[in-house]
Amino acid sequence: MDRRSFLTRASVGGAAAAAGSVLAAPAIAQEAADKVTWRLASSFPKSLDTIFGGADELSQRLAEATDGRFTIQVFSAGEIVPALDAINATTEGTVECSHSVGYYNWGKDPAFACGADLPFTFSARSKAAYNYHGGGIEIYNEFLKEYNLVGYPGGNTGTQMGGWYRKEVNTLDDMKGLKLRIAGLAGRVMERLGVVPQQIGGGDIYPALERGTIDAAEFVGPYDDAKLGFQKVAPYYYYPGFWEGGPTVHFFVNQDAWNALSDADKSLFRTASQAVDQNMLAEYDMKNPTALKELVGSGAQLRSFSEEILNAAYAASQEVYAELSEENAAFKKMYEAMQAYRDDWYLYQQTAEYTFDTFMMIKQRNGDLAPQG
């Protein structure tokens, strides 16, 4: 076909299109044009801007990417349902999605905890590797189908602190009878040490500590803990929170609501969730160092758990995992998958990463990182 013939035919086609109806949009574009309006129930109070803020960030990213077509209205803990009922509300379809931690639902099914965190398993970095490249997301979603849910990581706090105590706990005897606010499966482990676990939503912890209803409480880490003011009523601040080395917060979505999304919107949701997941950890890593210095300056007394307590807790956790693996096939499947990668991770970590961090910590303690001049 010569140039003149091509232009003539193109002009005829263009005129015909102009004279007739506008060309139909591709099917994908039509699907993407459907407006999506969801409600999200958070398990966190608005005062905790970093962890609660993850839901706001997801909502903002989706709205910006779709020019306001995909919107999520975020409700804080208690506005629609209590903090610990957010996941159940999503299963039931009361809301389309929630921002919560799987171990809040461990009483319904212990396998819920595997997607969040188990004592003595992962750090935040290794948990991300397992989730995104080790099949962690897929195996968790196989389990979640039973509860009409789809889940994607939506935040990580990094290794948490061990909590606030009204008195020092140096030995196993000090742990016996201690009423400790501790979430999820970790409470079952701590029971083996004589602790009396209490599962309480974040916004209710301070008054329980103040009244003496509980003797101690773990929550997150310095930045969030400072906002809740725990140091005013329980001065001893312990570390590490061995039950939460890399706790993953999830966006749980009702299965029917998820299935109604276009493939493009599903992809966008996954992308935005992963951005929130990684950004939350970075934000905590930026804010926690300053917050810890301020807490110590205001009277918090840092303490590390003794080797006796750590070793006893580790042994107890292995007993619990063995029992749960016999009772719960989904738990067994996920825990075994986690174990396989965990062992390789900590072997690898003993090389470059650990050596570099240790060297820099020694330099910091010796004052060699201070500005020279």
Side-chain angles (χ1 to χ4, degrees):
M1 182 185 297
D2 61 27
R3 178 174 177 275
R4 183 183 299 276
S5 175
F6 175 82
L7 291 174
T8 300
R9 295 190 182 194
S11 298
V12 171
S21 60
V22 177
L23 287 172
I28 292 177
Q30 286 180 324
E31 287 182 0
D34 293 338
K35 189 171 180 63
V36 179
T37 304
W38 282 3
R39 299 195 305 169
L40 180 151
S42 173
S43 286
F44 314 106
K46 289 181 180 178
S47 59
L48 302 180
D49 59 304
T50 302
I51 195 165
F52 172 83
D56 276 340
E57 183 184 347
L58 177 75
S59 176
Q60 181 180 352
R61 285 179 181 273
L62 291 175
E64 289 177 351
T66 62
D67 290 327
R69 182 184 54 76
F70 194 151
T71 61
I72 297 181
Q73 187 177 6
V74 178
F75 295 88
S76 64
E79 287 189 301
I80 294 181
V81 293
L84 304 182
D85 286 335
I87 300 174
N88 294 333
T90 310
T91 291
E92 296 160 3
T94 304
V95 293
E96 287 79 14
C97 58
S98 53
H99 192 218
S100 188
V101 192
Y103 53 52
Y104 284 165
N105 252 35
W106 86 277
K108 173 172 283 191
D109 191 323
F112 265 105
C114 294
D117 210 359
L118 300 177
F120 299 106
T121 51
F122 290 129
S123 64
R125 183 170 164 183
S126 54
K127 185 65 175 290
Y130 169 73
N131 276 337
Y132 294 108
H133 299 284
I137 292 173
E138 291 78 12
I139 197 171
Y140 196 44
N141 274 316
E142 286 178 22
F143 159 71
L144 291 177
K145 284 181 184 177
E146 183 179 345
Y147 294 92
N148 198 34
L149 296 169
V150 173
Y152 289 97
N156 200 303
T157 66
T159 302
Q160 295 190 0
M161 296 291 282
W164 299 88
Y165 295 73
R166 295 165 66 93
K167 63 178 183 179
E168 291 188 78
V169 288
N170 299 311
T171 68
L172 285 174
D173 284 340
D174 294 332
M175 303 294 283
K176 293 176 180 176
L178 189 80
K179 290 176 290 185
L180 170 66
R181 183 275 177 190
I182 187 166
L185 186 62
R188 184 163 173 176
V189 172
M190 297 301 280
E191 277 185 312
R192 304 292 173 101
L193 275 59
V195 169
V196 182
Q198 311 285 315
Q199 186 151 293
I200 303 172
D204 299 321
I205 299 173
Y206 183 91
L209 264 179
E210 186 177 36
R211 292 193 301 267
T213 306
I214 56 177
D215 305 306
E218 61 81 32
F219 190 59
V220 179
Y223 182 72
D224 284 342
D225 292 359
K227 283 180 170 291
L228 296 177
F230 297 143
Q231 74 277 11
K232 299 174 185 176
V233 289
Y236 299 103
Y237 199 20
Y238 277 83
Y239 63 89
F242 50 82
W243 47 86
E244 292 183 285
T248 299
V249 185
H250 271 80
F251 290 113
F252 294 96
V253 182
N254 176 274
Q255 183 75 64
D256 296 331
W258 179 256
N259 291 341
L261 293 179
S262 68
D263 288 344
D265 281 345
K266 289 176 181 176
S267 178
L268 181 59
F269 187 96
R270 290 193 297 266
T271 300
S273 297
Q274 185 169 357
V276 173
D277 186 34
Q278 298 302 297
N279 188 52
M280 183 184 292
L281 178 61
E283 189 171 0
Y284 272 117
D285 283 346
M286 177 57 69
K287 292 178 175 178
N288 276 332
T290 299
L292 183 59
K293 288 190 290 186
E294 292 173 351
L295 282 170
V296 172
S298 65
Q301 299 187 47
L302 281 177
R303 299 285 189 275
S304 62
F305 285 122
S306 66
E307 287 292 319
E308 179 188 15
I309 290 174
L310 289 172
N311 282 322
Y314 181 82
S317 71
Q318 304 313 296
E319 293 174 1
V320 169
Y321 299 154
E323 293 168 3
L324 289 174
S325 293
E326 289 185 3
E327 301 166 2
N328 189 303
F331 180 93
K332 182 176 188 293
K333 183 176 182 179
M334 285 188 277
Y335 179 58
E336 288 180 349
M338 294 164 69
Q339 276 185 302
Y341 174 63
R342 181 192 63 181
D343 293 347
D344 282 347
W345 168 257
Y346 286 112
L347 181 63
Y348 171 68
Q349 277 298 98
Q350 294 174 52
T351 58
E353 196 86 28
Y354 175 80
T355 306
F356 177 77
D357 282 348
T358 301
F359 177 81
M360 294 302 289
M361 290 174 197
I362 292 170
K363 286 296 184 184
Q364 193 273 339
R365 289 188 177 187
N366 291 339
D368 294 338
L369 298 188
Q372 304 297 312

